[in-house]
Amino acid sequence: VPRNFRLLEELEKGEKGIGDGTISYGLSDGDDLLMTNWHGTIIGPGNTVHENRIYSLRIVCGPEYPGKAPLVSFASRVNMSGVNQTNGKVEKLGCLDAWKSSYTIENILVELRREMGSPANRKLAQPAEGSMF
Amino acid sequence: MSQTLTFKVRAPSGETHTVQVDSESTFGGLKAALSPVVSIAATEMRVVCGGRILRDDDAAIQSLGLADGATLHVVRQAQNSQQTVSSPAAAASQARSPAAANPLFGGMGGAGGMPDRDQMQAMMRNPMMQALLNNPDLMASIMEADPRMQAMAEQNPEIRRMLRDPAFLRQMTQAMQNPALMDEMQRNQDRALSNIESMPGGMTALSGLYSSMERTQRALEPTGPTVTDESNRLFAERIGADLSDQSALPNPWAPAATTSSTARPAAAGAATGTVPNPFAALSGAGAGAGANPFAFPQFPTPAAQAGVPQPGAPANNMQSDPFLSALLGMNLANQTASQGHGQTPSNQQPNPVEVQAQRLQMLTQLIQLQQAMQGAQAGVAPGVASQQPQLPFFNPYANPYAFTAPPAATTPVSPTPAAPAIPPEERFKDQLEQMNAMGFDDNQKNIKALLAAGGNLESAINYLLSM
């Protein structure tokens, strides 16, 4: 599937609202024909230290997407395993490490949210809300 | 030219709504339009669209680039980021505060006036309490919301002023958190009180204060005897007991208890025919009766019950309740033929086995409920608090033999037409789904918590978190 087709599809899905409403993503720059830069948000899972917090992310879909995984990094500060604490880059995530071309931005965000709720991450002390990397 | 833009809105509850705004309005106007739909105050609302958090209230909607028909996600602002602005926080918890105030003081009142040290500590550990204590304004508003406090404040405007004084509140909260400080304060108070006689007019002031407080307390207590026919009937319904059953209660010390003599020291006493000392149970042997005989009456655990099919069980139950044993007197050497509930095949009860099974099931649920109540006493649980009117005073004399175990302990607890035939997984399907979405994956624990909380999701979650 050509890259642009795929990205257009994902754009539509993002605008319509996916899943249970706890993740959202969209183009950073509406005029970008190459659709490289995306913004995403994750609403922290309930009953964890992330509850009611909204985390922003930046996703960069390179020219080889979806063949190659996008680059994902947190814009909002978060304390989580797999996230570089200096620059917010997501360095370790299941779907990114074992990327398949059928994976989508939605998959990435959903998996990140699930990671937040994992026993390892759900009680970690978090930086103040609103602080950015 | 202005058009109406339609947006789909995703509320935190998961529901989707539609909202229409004029394309020339600002983001603030959009939030105002969203507020009633998702029931979140505009000041607390966070809106996300297309992966971006929208912040600027004054921005024109067009400049935000929101396309017609786009989906907006709406979330409630996290509580801790609004500590300085206490009024939205108070507004948000206003809904909770009447519920919070009453179980708070209700829980304290239920414990008998001032709760003791351990109960206080347990209460303090409750995270809601922590949040409460950190916000003195909220604390003051909750205390004022309590009708008992209000009555007291009416009588005595000093109290109201005291409640408002931030220094006093800070002292109170610190005292509540630090037991040593609490002790100090108590000591100071006592010392002042003992010196009151030396002050002219002091005694009269004190007695006036006392009588007005007492009057208020009395006015708020339930009038009339708390054990009425109505409460009896409700309770019997709850546990599935049959009030119309007029047959005599079984004799717990009947000699048919020979088979259970190895099961319990108490039963052994009965079997050998000696007079078991009902108060011996209090000093030692009472399994799980607890050191405090005047505590909330404890039931024998269902496991223990199921294991002892004989009247050894009711004997133990009764021995753990001094009132009951006193009531039944020392008629212990009764050698008459046993009329054990379900013991003899010729029984006037229709279907005794099933009724027993049903009672066992109800009892299990009651015990879990009770444990949850005790565990979350400071609690948040309005669900549990609402149980209280039904059982105003736990009546240990209401058919104690309802708790006798079925004669064949191996009889599986089968749902009868009277008992709820729906398994808990189905009954709580919605709550379980929500709990799973929140990250509580262990359905077994979830179901237990839901049973303990009577199906109330919030209290079940608090139960899980406090485990």
Side-chain angles (χ1 to χ4, degrees):
Chain A
V1 181
R3 174 183 180 276
N4 285 3
F5 275 29
R6 245 298 278 274
L7 288 172
L8 270 177
E9 243 179 56
E10 296 201 43
L11 183 61
E12 258 195 75
K13 266 181 78 183
E15 277 178 359
K16 284 218 206 85
I18 352 98
D20 52 4
T22 46
I23 58 149
S24 162
Y25 61 88
L27 271 181
S28 296
D29 180 6
D31 301 325
D32 181 8
L33 290 170
L34 294 179
M35 295 180 277
T36 1
N37 294 311
W38 296 68
H39 270 127
T41 56
I42 300 179
I43 296 172
N47 280 305
T48 65
V49 70
H50 307 280
E51 178 171 17
N52 277 336
R53 287 175 71 131
I54 308 185
Y55 297 100
S56 309
L57 299 94
R58 273 186 305 269
I59 304 159
V60 177
C61 298
E64 312 235 348
Y65 182 86
K68 259 180 109 185
L71 298 169
V72 184
S73 62
F74 272 88
S76 323
R77 273 205 178 269
V78 66
N79 178 10
M80 224 174 99
S81 63
V83 176
N84 184 318
Q85 292 300 303
T86 5
N87 53 22
K89 276 209 191 140
V90 175
E91 299 183 325
K92 187 165 168 303
L93 190 66
C95 59
L96 291 178
D97 297 334
W99 176 261
K100 296 212 190 86
S101 53
S102 51
Y103 288 159
T104 64
I105 297 178
E106 180 191 351
N107 290 138
I108 299 173
L109 294 175
V110 166
E111 180 153 354
L112 275 171
R113 185 170 189 268
R114 220 190 353 238
E115 276 297 308
M116 285 183 190
S118 72
N121 289 316
R122 70 187 310 157
K123 292 207 166 83
L124 286 178
Q126 296 295 321
E129 178 156 18
S131 54
M132 312 293 269
F133 274 109
Chain B
M1 72 201 139
S2 93
Q3 332 142 299
T4 8
L5 298 174
T6 318
F7 296 116
K8 297 212 287 271
V9 182
R10 222 26 184 309
S13 54
E15 301 160 355
T16 24
H17 306 270
T18 338
V19 140
Q20 294 186 323
V21 271
D22 198 74
S23 67
E24 305 213 343
S25 57
T26 61
F27 182 52
L30 175 63
K31 285 213 285 195
L34 289 172
S35 182
V37 176
V38 296
S39 35
I40 302 178
T43 34
E44 287 193 309
M45 191 190 299
R46 302 269 223 100
V47 182
V48 168
C49 178
R52 276 174 304 146
I53 308 176
L54 307 173
R55 287 189 210 280
D56 192 358
D57 271 9
D58 294 328
I61 295 199
Q62 287 176 324
S63 71
L64 293 173
L66 301 175
D68 192 12
T71 307
L72 308 172
H73 304 278
V74 181
V75 171
R76 193 184 296 274
Q77 177 94 2
Q79 292 292 337
N80 39 7
S81 60
Q82 278 204 320
Q83 274 220 331
T84 48
V85 192
S86 57
S87 40
S93 23
Q94 225 19 285
R96 286 191 288 161
S97 76
N102 287 329
L104 195 79
F105 290 106
M108 291 215 300
M114 205 55 199
D116 68 5
R117 189 72 59 82
D118 298 317
Q119 285 176 314
M120 271 295 235
Q121 289 291 3
M123 234 168 59
M124 290 304 128
R125 252 174 267 126
N126 185 336
M128 194 182 97
M129 215 32 192
Q130 297 280 4
L132 192 67
L133 287 177
N134 287 333
N135 191 347
D137 291 316
L138 192 55
M139 181 83 163
S141 59
I142 281 189
M143 291 190 120
E144 285 188 49
D146 185 26
R148 270 191 265 189
M149 278 292 190
Q150 276 178 351
M152 264 181 26
E154 311 257 320
Q155 303 263 349
N156 198 345
E158 289 279 340
I159 293 186
R160 198 187 305 231
R161 214 175 327 137
M162 234 166 51
L163 278 183
R164 298 262 170 93
D165 180 16
F168 171 68
L169 286 173
R170 213 169 304 133
Q171 230 184 8
M172 275 259 288
T173 56
Q174 279 175 353
M176 288 216 260
Q177 287 174 322
N178 181 355
L181 205 68
M182 185 69 139
D183 278 344
E184 267 256 8
M185 276 185 36
Q186 283 279 58
R187 246 174 284 135
N188 288 344
Q189 246 184 1
D190 291 340
R191 219 176 297 136
L193 264 178
S194 60
N195 290 338
I196 206 168
E197 289 177 336
S198 59
M199 294 195 309
M203 269 318 275
T204 40
L206 181 64
S207 55
L209 189 71
Y210 177 71
S211 63
S212 68
M213 277 188 63
E214 204 200 349
R215 227 182 305 138
T216 322
Q217 190 84 345
R218 194 77 60 75
L220 293 161
E221 271 170 8
T223 51
T226 47
V227 178
T228 60
D229 277 339
E230 183 59 25
S231 72
N232 259 351
R233 191 186 62 76
L234 284 172
F235 182 61
E237 243 178 62
R238 185 157 183 75
I239 57 172
D242 185 5
L243 276 182
S244 58
D245 170 25
Q246 303 275 352
S247 63
L249 298 173
N251 179 3
W253 291 285
T258 44
T259 51
S260 73
S261 55
T262 50
R264 274 171 204 270
T272 55
T274 57
V275 176
N277 181 359
F279 296 100
L282 294 180
S283 49
N292 184 357
F294 300 95
F296 203 83
Q298 302 283 340
F299 296 105
T301 60
Q305 254 196 324
V308 181
Q310 261 58 31
N316 202 41
N317 184 13
M318 289 197 314
Q319 285 169 353
S320 49
D321 186 350
F323 300 113
L324 211 45
S325 33
L327 189 76
L328 290 164
M330 310 286 184
N331 184 14
L332 312 164
N334 193 335
Q335 302 291 320
T336 58
S338 119
Q339 287 174 340
H341 227 36
Q343 278 274 330
T344 54
S346 63
N347 203 305
Q348 297 112 317
Q349 292 275 340
N351 247 343
V353 170
E354 285 186 74
V355 170
Q356 295 294 4
Q358 178 189 338
R359 286 178 185 164
L360 188 59
Q361 198 183 25
M362 286 287 189
L363 176 61
T364 325
Q365 290 183 349
L366 254 184
I367 287 182
Q368 286 171 333
L369 185 82
Q370 180 195 331
Q371 283 172 345
M373 260 168 70
Q374 286 181 333
Q377 197 169 12
V380 174
V384 176
S386 70
Q387 303 276 6
Q388 289 175 351
Q390 283 199 13
L391 309 174
F393 176 70
F394 194 83
N395 185 3
Y397 311 129
N399 203 359
Y401 298 94
F403 308 133
T404 52
T410 54
T411 307
V413 178
S414 53
T416 64
I422 322 169
E425 287 89 0
E426 273 201 47
R427 266 192 288 151
F428 298 134
K429 194 153 67 108
D430 286 328
Q431 288 94 323
L432 279 176
E433 266 178 42
Q434 292 193 37
M435 287 169 101
N436 282 337
M438 288 199 240
F440 291 109
D441 293 322
D442 187 347
N443 271 349
Q444 288 306 316
K445 283 212 281 188
N446 289 352
I447 290 176
K448 266 209 243 170
L450 283 165
L451 283 172
N456 180 312
L457 184 66
E458 254 190 78
S459 34
I461 289 177
N462 277 299
Y463 180 66
L464 283 174
L465 289 175
S466 64
M467 284 210 301

